[in-house]
C-alpha cells in the first residue's frame, strides 16, 4: 500500500513529556511499517537551528520573536516537512504553529490576529493531521525539568507565563478539536503510551478506509 505522508505535532509547556512520547510514537509507527522522520521547532534545518540559538538565549521584542519563529518555520516546511510528506514519509514534529499561538500569543500576549496573518502567509494549507497536547499543572511540569542543566530563556519565565501559555493551548484544542488530542500528562508514562497507541491506530484505520 502506498502511504500518504502525514504530519503529527507534539505540543505542551516545557517539561510536559513531548520528547519522551515522540520516541515512543516513532517506535509504534515503525512497528506498523510506516517510515517516519522526527524534527523540531524552532529548528529542523541548519538555518533554523541557528535561529533557535538566538531565540532561546537572546532577549528581543515580542514581535521579533514571533517573526523569527515563523522565519525558521518557513525554512523547515520548505526544506524538510514538504519534501518528506511528498515522498510519503510521516513527519513527527516537536512543536509547530500552535506553539507560537500558545507562547507568543498566550504567554507574551501578542495579538492573535498578527499570528493568524503569519500562519496564512507561511502555511496557508498545511496543518497537522494530529496534534498531541501534553497537558499538566505548571508546578508538575516545572518539577520534571532537569535541575542539573541551565534553563533557557523560556524555561526561566514565571509561573503566570506558563499558565497563560497552557490556557491558550487548551483554548486551541477546543477550537480545533478534530486534530487535537489532549493527553493528561500528569499520569504515569505507561498509561499515556496506551492512549497514544490507541489514537495512532484510530488514525491508521481512518486512513485505510479512505484508500
Ligand atoms: P518535554 O520534551 O515536553 O520538555 P520530556 O519528555 O523531556 O518533556 O520530559 C521531562 C522529564 O519528565 C523527563 O525527565 C521525563 O523522563 C519525565 N517524564 C515525562 N513524562 C513523565 C510522566 N508521565 N511521569 C513522570 N515523569 C515523566
Ligand atoms: P523545546 O524544543 O520544547 O525546548 P527543549 O528542548 O528545552 O524541550 O522548545 C523550545 C522553546 O521554544 C520552548 O520553550 C517553546 C518555545 N517556542 C515558542 O515560544 N514559539 C514557537 O513557535 C516554538 C516552535 C517554540
Amino acid at each position: 500500500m502506498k502511504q500518504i505522508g502525514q504530519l503529527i505535532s507534539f505540543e505542551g509547556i516545557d517539561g510536559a513529556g513531548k520528547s519522551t512520547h515522540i520516541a515512543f510514537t516513532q517506535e509504534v509507527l515503525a512497528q506498523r511499517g510506516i517510515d517516519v522522520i522526527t524534527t523540531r521547532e524552532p529548528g529542523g534545518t541548519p538555518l533554523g537551528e541557528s535561529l533557535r540559538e538566538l531565540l532561546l538565549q537572546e532577549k528581543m521584542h515580542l514581535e521579533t520573536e514571533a517573526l523569527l519563529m515563523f522565519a525558521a518555520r518557513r525554512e523547515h516546511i520548505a526544506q524538510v516537512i514538504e519534501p518528506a510528506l511528498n515522498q510519503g514519509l510521516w513527519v513527527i514534529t516537536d512543536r509547530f504553529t500552535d506553539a507560537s499561538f500558545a507562547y507568543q500569543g498566550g504567554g507574551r500576549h501578542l495579538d492573535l490576529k498578527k499570528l493568524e496573518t503569519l500562519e496564512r502567509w507561511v502555511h496557508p494549507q498545511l496543518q497537522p493531521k494530529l496534534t498531541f497536547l501534553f497537558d499538566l499543572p505548571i508546578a508538575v511540569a516545572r518539577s520534571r525539568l532537569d535541575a542539573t542543566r541551565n534553563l533557557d530563556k523560556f524555561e526561566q519565565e514565571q509561573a503566570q507565563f506558563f499558565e497563560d501559555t497552557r490556557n491558550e493551548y487548551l483554548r486551541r484544542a477546543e477550537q480545533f478539536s478534530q486534530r487535537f488530542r489532549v493527553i493528561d500528562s500528569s499520569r504515569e508514562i505507561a498509561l499515556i503510551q496506551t492512549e497514544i497507541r490507541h489514537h495512532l491506530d484510530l488514525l491508521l484505520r481512518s486512513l485505510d478506509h479512505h484508500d
Side-chain angles (χ1 to χ4, degrees):
M1 179 181 77
K2 169 97 178 74
Q3 295 284 352
I4 302 163
Q6 303 291 343
L7 176 63
I8 302 181
S9 60
F10 281 65
E11 299 285 357
I13 55 171
D14 299 76
K18 290 175 289 89
S19 313
T20 305
H21 298 297
I22 283 173
F24 172 75
T25 300
Q26 199 174 4
E27 277 170 36
V28 172
L29 290 175
Q31 283 164 5
R32 310 286 190 267
I34 291 170
D35 293 325
V36 41
I37 62 161
T38 61
T39 183
R40 69 171 180 181
E41 292 201 352
T45 65
L47 177 63
E49 291 295 325
S50 299
L51 292 172
R52 179 188 177 92
E53 290 279 303
L54 291 171
L55 280 160
L56 266 51
Q57 303 308 331
E58 302 286 331
K59 291 234 182 319
M60 59 185 77
H61 190 279
L62 83 167
E63 292 192 354
T64 310
E65 187 176 276
L67 288 163
L68 287 181
M69 290 289 180
F70 274 94
R73 183 163 298 130
R74 185 69 196 92
E75 198 66 16
H76 191 210
I77 292 169
Q79 303 293 342
V80 176
I81 297 179
E82 279 182 346
L85 294 176
N86 290 339
Q87 285 172 44
L89 297 173
W90 286 42
V91 179
I92 296 176
T93 185
D94 186 342
R95 301 189 184 280
F96 195 57
T97 295
D98 296 307
S100 299
F101 280 93
Y103 280 78
Q104 281 65 55
R108 301 226 195 278
H109 311 300
L110 176 59
D111 183 356
L112 298 180
K113 290 203 171 55
K114 291 187 175 171
L115 292 165
E116 283 165 5
T117 302
L118 289 171
E119 181 182 35
R120 269 198 303 279
W121 183 8
V122 168
H123 57 100
Q125 310 293 340
L126 181 69
Q127 286 294 341
K129 185 76 181 176
L130 262 189
T131 298
F132 287 111
L133 172 57
F134 293 88
D135 183 61
L136 78 178
I138 309 304
V140 181
R142 180 139 293 223
S143 72
R144 287 186 189 168
L145 287 179
D146 183 355
T148 61
R149 73 175 168 85
N150 290 332
L151 298 181
D152 67 37
K153 185 182 83 181
F154 291 99
E155 291 163 341
Q156 288 172 29
E157 288 287 347
Q158 301 299 310
Q160 189 59 49
F161 173 87
F162 289 106
E163 294 288 357
D164 294 345
T165 300
R166 179 188 184 193
N167 286 336
E168 180 58 19
Y169 265 135
L170 289 170
R171 199 192 62 72
R172 285 180 71 75
E174 271 188 32
Q175 188 179 359
F176 303 107
S177 57
Q178 225 190 333
R179 70 177 164 88
F180 266 90
R181 301 291 176 269
V182 181
I183 307 286
D184 174 357
S185 198
S186 62
R187 296 168 303 159
E188 61 184 75
I189 290 178
L191 286 174
I192 296 172
Q193 290 182 337
T194 303
E195 192 178 348
I196 291 174
R197 193 188 295 108
H198 171 71
H199 288 308
L200 293 172
D201 284 337
L202 284 180
L203 170 61
L204 285 167
R205 221 172 298 154
S206 78
L207 295 173
D208 272 349
H209 289 309
H210 288 99
D211 269 355

